[in-house]
Amino acid sequence: MTIDGYVHQLPDTDPLETEEWLDSLDSVIDSRGKVRARFLVSKLTERARERQVGTPAEVSTPYVNTIPTDEQGWFPGDIDIERRIRAFIRWNAAVMVVNANTRADGIGGHLSTFASSAALYEVGFNHFFRGKADGVPGDQVYIQGHAVPGVYARAFLEGRLDESHLDNFRREIGGGGLSSYPHPWLMPDFWEFPTVSMGLGPLNSIYQARFNKYLQHRHLDDTSRSHVWCFLGDGETDEPESLGSISLAAREGLDNLTWVINCNLQRLDGPVRGNGKIIQELEAIFRGAGWNVIKVIWGSGWDDLLARDVDGVLLHKMNTTVDGEFQRYTVESGAYIREHFFGPDPRLRKLVEHLTDDDLRNLPRGGHDYEKMYAAYKAATEQVGAPTVILAKTVKGWTLGSDVEARNATHQIKKMTRDQLKVLRLRLRLDDVIPESLLDADDPPYYRPPVDSLEYRYLMDRRRALDGPLPTRSTAIRRDLVMPPDEPFTEFDAGSGSQAVSTTMAFTRLLRNLARTEGFGPRMVPIIPDEARTFGMDALFREFGIYAAHGQQYESVDAKLLLSYTESQDGQLLEEGITEAGSMSSFTAAGTSYATHGVPMVPFFIFYSMFGFQRVGDLIWAASDAQAKGFLLGATAGRTTLMGEGLQHQDGHSLVLASTVPTCQAYDPAFAYETAAIVRHGLHRMYGRTDAEGRTGAGDSVFYYLTLYNENYPMPVRPDHVSEDDIVGGLYRWADAPEGLEPKVTIVFSGSAHLAAQAARDTLAAEHGIGAELWSATSYKRLREDALSTERWNRLHPTEPARPLPVTELLARSSGPIVAVTDFMKAVPDQIARFVPAGRPFVPLGTDGFGRSDTREALRRFFETDAASVEVAALSALAQVGEIEPEIVAKAIRHHGLDADAPDPRTR
Ligand SMILES: Cc1ncc(C[n+]2csc(CCOP(=O)(O)OP(=O)(O)O)c2C)c(N)n1
Ligand SMILES: [Mg+2]
């Protein structure tokens, strides 16, 4: 027996009355059956909810539409014209993909995703999605990556794209092509949100909606008219990123967010839940999480059948048929459906005896029922206090004919024969505008209704009423962003005297300085995933305030302390909890606000460096595509600087991963003044320009990644000869070799490895009389990229004088072999190995391999990046060029007790 344990713990104040109710139920079950009993219990629950009795919400409801037909309301559009427009779009979308693959076999593209979701998008375009032509940011619409043919086809109808664009679908090189998926980097005036890495769009959309509320609550912009729409596939919900943050959306009351899940029951290989029901599964998950769930399962053809289903047999059949079977019914004949779906139960068979086999085959699914979709969207936009998910049941490849519709291979089909196109033309009733003869030509034609046609005028009127075309990406600034003065940065040039501090502490101080800057300060968005105390940033809680959608509704346990945990509705800091993925999504929303809202905002996302690029690299890639700006700060950086934590915490490779992201400016500063100079430079580069309209806050679409260490040492004064350009250029001489010593070597350090470099310089001088000069490499990525660009220029300009590679030129000013020491993998300094001046050995020392927990000293000895190892590397390189005897190197190895025969740490 299953019982709700909690009921039995409650006192029964009237057992007799209880018994009467239970007896009535028993007698209904016995005399009228379970279907009737279920109905009555549901009715009671519904009434209880209406009267606000406070019964727990059910997580699942029967397999029928959430909105009853009689509450569907009036559809305000012209259903016939909209169907016609949809037919044009369907046609052009299919022809575009087919033509692309005729011209370039294997170029790809997708027919069946949009075919299943055309109505879902078109209801939005005709009635809901708001554009920005009125100067106010409209809606943010996340389009399913594989549905883009339909979006291009609509833009073509609207005259935003022409035939040559469609002809160049997926042919981007050479200009004028259309990107395979939504990529703002490639179509910067069109796409806003990259979505095609499945799961990222849904996740980003939640944080976009949250960020809109944040802007509103912080009085930075009125976003009350923006609605966030996210379209995703049912298969896409398998990605943990898709569903991982849905509880946040409910908790924050994101009624400005609607998800539309296209439940065509199929993914790439086959059924999403062949043995189950994806819609029911998702309903339970979303209802449990507190979302408003609207199921649109059945088209209006089913309304009459359900109304006559007095025995509940149809409902029962709907409830118990698994998705694999529903998919089967889509590809089978009406006779098969009659036999297998309606057949087994005589009452069901009778229910449809008035329908022909064709009628049965054509009973549409809810997601293809335009009016039902309209009703669902309307309900979603009227919802208050919670996000909405619309679960729309569709057929994958709908209208594309029996060879494509609902086939397991449908996702991959990119070609259609002339005959298949002819069938499609008739199915879409386009025979009056597309002569059949045109289909025999090489390229089947696109169709655009003339500008004086009813359809064109209707289409354009609808978009005008909804504030213009969409998607549109704009970078027009609506709210200026004025750069902070230099003082908050320059104070770090003085160093920290004898006080030992870390670059993390210096950065925190810088952050506070900036936040206190009038005008600029409020435009910063500090983002921390539950790690502020680790980084010593808990002081920011009180000063910035933690953003809380509903304010702080309790007195914090530390309320009386100076540094209390202070939440408020206009709090500035996004304390995200333990989600780097969510934090990264906030970064993207804030970092693209300059485009999405015309309000440049400056995110500073501070995370445990190990859990950055490695954990959420794909989100960072997408942020780069989205042209996000801002600062990523990898704190507790380094494989040996972070003591004790070990293999899963010590980051020696985020800089390698960062080197793969095109717009990422990766820096590994050693000192406070370097950190401050890089942030200052970055701010000015990203936001310091004036746009064509004279608005401030414009700049390059790049973002910065800075490593921050937790090792304390006195921060040096910025040497007089060192300029900001030297620091951001990636490499500069930090200290000359001690006077008069020969031979010479050059030690290049970055980050916390400067300690070993300095100590080695001292022993090289004292023990060996060797003069080591010290250089700081703040960015190997920058050095490499600059060198590659110059190399390319030289290659392509063979008759002109070769330009010197910047890094080669710099290193030519140093002397002797070069030892580069880092707390990251050797691959990081190796980025410049090829560019070192000829004849000079280059020895990278780094931390390849798994980290482990121990003291810094032990770790650095283990990875051979400690002072002794730097010294030995310098001696070895000098021996290699014949400046000293090999025996001197051997002696130093023995002297320092280095284990020459231990296996490489990389393999241990
Ligand atoms: C992260 C990621 N993994 C895999 C893919 C490849 N992929 C593209 S579409 C697809 C199936 C999509 O199924 P569904 O989400 O149900 O969308 P539908 O086309 O059915 O609407 C897959 C696996 C991808 N784009 N992103
Ligand atoms: Mg699907």
Side-chain angles (χ1 to χ4, degrees), residues 12 157 209 238 253 263-264 462 493 531 632 664 723 753 870 883:
D12 190 345
L157 241 55
D238 288 343
C263 297
N264 54 24
R462 289 310 310 147
D493 290 348
E531 212 71 71
L632 297 180
C664 175
S723 69
V870 176
E883 293 274 5

Side-chain angles (χ1 to χ4, degrees), residues 110 112-114 116-117 144 146-147 181 195-200 232-239 241 262-270 272 394 396 410-412 618:
H110 298 84
S112 59
T113 300
F114 178 71
S116 67
S117 52
Q144 207 187 333
H146 299 77
Y181 301 112
T195 49
V196 79
S197 177
M198 309 193 107
L200 305 192
L232 58 157
D234 47 359
E236 188 169 6
T237 61
D238 288 343
E239 291 284 3
E241 287 88 345
N262 176 20
C263 297
N264 54 24
L265 314 187
Q266 291 179 248
R267 49 189 173 201
L268 196 151
D269 283 343
V272 177
T394 64
K396 193 152 178 168
T410 187
H411 190 86
Q412 301 291 76
D618 202 17

Side-chain angles (χ1 to χ4, degrees), residues 8 45 48 73 87 133 156 226 250 368 408 492 512 525 555 652 681 699 791 871:
H8 289 259
T45 316
F156 170 68
S226 287
H368 303 305
N408 270 338
F492 297 93
R512 291 174 73 182
V525 186
E555 189 180 34
H681 179 87
E791 251 189 358
E871 177 192 329

Side-chain angles (χ1 to χ4, degrees), residues 69 130 143 241 250 272 290 305 369 373 477 479 524 557 617 690 745:
T69 310
R130 304 201 83 90
I143 286 158
E241 287 88 345
V272 177
L305 300 181
D369 190 308
M373 285 314 300
I477 294 173
R479 293 187 198 285
M524 294 164 55
V557 66
T690 306
V745 291

Side-chain angles (χ1 to χ4, degrees), residues 542-794:
R542 178 75 175 261
E543 177 150 5
F544 289 151
I546 297 166
Y547 172 72
H550 309 294
Q552 191 162 32
Q553 304 184 4
Y554 61 97
E555 189 180 34
S556 171
V557 66
D558 53 10
K560 294 201 170 56
L561 301 184
L562 199 61
L563 302 181
S564 60
Y565 197 84
T566 310
E567 303 185 66
S568 72
Q569 208 181 40
D570 62 356
Q572 184 163 7
L573 194 142
L574 290 174
E575 163 61 85
E576 298 289 14
I578 312 167
T579 166
E580 285 75 14
S583 307
M584 192 56 214
S585 301
S586 280
F587 175 89
T588 303
T592 54
S593 172
Y594 73 94
T596 314
H597 297 287
V599 182
M601 298 290 291
V602 188
F604 291 85
F605 170 24
I606 306 124
F607 50 89
Y608 220 115
S609 75
M610 185 68 159
F611 306 129
F613 280 84
Q614 165 151 306
R615 181 72 179 238
V616 292
D618 202 17
L619 280 160
I620 295 176
W621 184 261
S624 184
D625 183 355
Q627 308 207 30
K629 305 182 189 187
F631 295 91
L632 297 180
L633 291 310
T636 50
R639 189 95 77 202
T640 68
T641 310
L642 177 64
M643 283 198 290
E645 289 291 346
L647 183 152
Q648 191 82 61
H649 282 74
Q650 291 162 334
D651 167 33
H653 52 284
S654 65
L655 287 167
V656 178
L657 302 176
S659 76
T660 64
V661 181
T663 66
C664 175
Q665 313 299 304
Y667 282 89
D668 191 14
F671 308 122
Y673 73 79
E674 289 182 348
T675 309
I678 295 161
V679 173
R680 201 202 83 91
H681 179 87
L683 270 181
H684 282 265
R685 179 169 173 202
M686 295 184 287
Y687 303 94
R689 287 208 299 269
T690 306
D691 72 7
E693 266 69 56
R695 309 297 300 251
T696 54
D700 293 350
S701 293
V702 296
F703 68 89
Y704 282 69
Y705 175 55
L706 276 75
T707 54
L708 297 176
Y709 294 87
N710 68 353
E711 187 164 4
N712 296 332
Y713 38 82
M715 288 296 160
V717 175
R718 181 208 295 218
D720 282 342
H721 68 278
V722 177
S723 69
E724 183 180 284
D725 284 349
D726 292 333
I727 296 168
V728 298
L731 179 69
Y732 66 94
R733 186 202 307 269
W734 184 65
D736 293 330
E739 204 82 8
L741 297 183
E742 288 291 340
K744 287 193 167 22
V745 291
T746 296
I747 303 175
V748 182
F749 62 77
S750 28
S752 57
H754 79 93
L755 291 162
Q758 288 190 63
R761 181 201 36 191
D762 295 347
T763 36
L764 282 167
E767 306 286 328
H768 306 284
I770 292 169
E773 54 185 277
L774 297 181
W775 289 61
S776 176
T778 54
S779 179
Y780 286 105
K781 183 175 197 266
R782 169 82 194 263
L783 296 172
R784 174 173 180 270
E785 288 171 353
D786 287 351
L788 291 177
S789 295
T790 313
E791 251 189 358
R792 170 178 177 272
W793 192 93
N794 289 340

Side-chain angles (χ1 to χ4, degrees), residues 93-361:
V95 166
M96 181 182 78
V97 174
V98 170
N99 281 349
N101 285 279
T102 315
R103 291 200 194 99
D105 197 14
I107 202 84
H110 298 84
L111 294 167
S112 59
T113 300
F114 178 71
S116 67
S117 52
L120 312 186
Y121 287 103
E122 281 303 301
V123 164
F125 277 115
N126 283 320
H127 299 280
F128 294 94
F129 304 160
R130 304 201 83 90
K132 351 176 172 241
D134 59 344
V136 181
D139 290 355
Q140 287 93 48
V141 185
Y142 290 72
I143 286 158
Q144 207 187 333
H146 299 77
V148 298
V151 178
Y152 291 139
R154 169 169 259 271
F156 170 68
L157 241 55
E158 291 175 6
R160 303 177 64 203
L161 299 176
D162 58 32
E163 294 205 2
S164 78
H165 291 112
L166 301 198
D167 279 345
N168 283 304
F169 173 53
R170 292 192 163 219
R171 302 296 292 272
E172 303 183 78
I173 313 291
L178 300 177
S179 62
S180 48
Y181 301 112
H183 293 304
W185 186 261
L186 301 172
M187 292 178 68
D189 301 326
F190 196 87
W191 293 117
E192 297 183 86
F193 309 108
T195 49
V196 79
S197 177
M198 309 193 107
L200 305 192
L203 181 66
N204 277 325
S205 75
I206 291 177
Y207 285 86
Q208 180 66 54
R210 201 285 212 95
F211 187 72
N212 288 2
K213 296 251 180 193
Y214 171 91
L215 286 178
Q216 182 86 26
H217 284 143
R218 294 199 52 225
H219 315 292
L220 291 167
D221 198 31
D222 179 6
T223 56
S224 58
R225 278 174 40 127
S226 287
H227 197 87
V228 179
W229 301 85
C230 181
F231 289 82
L232 58 157
D234 47 359
E236 188 169 6
T237 61
D238 288 343
E239 291 284 3
E241 287 88 345
S242 299
L243 300 182
S245 287
I246 59 170
S247 59
L248 171 113
R251 203 158 59 238
E252 304 256 330
L254 301 181
D255 48 14
N256 56 344
L257 175 67
T258 298
W259 277 15
V260 182
I261 305 187
N262 176 20
C263 297
N264 54 24
L265 314 187
Q266 291 179 248
R267 49 189 173 201
L268 196 151
D269 283 343
V272 177
R273 295 288 183 274
N275 300 306
K277 291 160 89 71
I278 186 65
I279 291 181
Q280 296 302 85
E281 183 180 321
L282 291 174
E283 176 187 36
I285 293 170
F286 280 93
R287 284 176 79 109
W291 285 52
N292 173 40
V293 178
I294 303 177
K295 297 195 287 191
V296 190
I297 302 178
W298 309 108
S300 53
W302 294 85
D303 288 345
D304 166 62
L305 300 181
L306 277 164
R308 293 193 293 115
D309 180 32
V310 286
D311 304 315
V313 279
L314 177 58
L315 186 63
H316 181 69
K317 186 71 184 172
M318 288 169 162
N319 281 336
T320 51
T321 302
V322 294
D323 284 356
E325 266 185 86
F326 275 121
Q327 186 190 347
R328 183 75 199 255
Y329 294 133
T330 315
V331 300
E332 290 290 354
S333 66
Y336 181 95
I337 298 170
R338 188 184 304 280
E339 197 53 38
H340 292 84
F341 186 77
F342 297 100
D345 190 310
R347 292 168 296 179
L348 255 186
R349 190 180 277 271
K350 195 162 169 3
L351 201 65
V352 292
E353 64 187 0
H354 63 297
L355 299 177
T356 66
D357 285 354
D358 265 356
D359 290 339
L360 290 188
R361 236 195 90 68

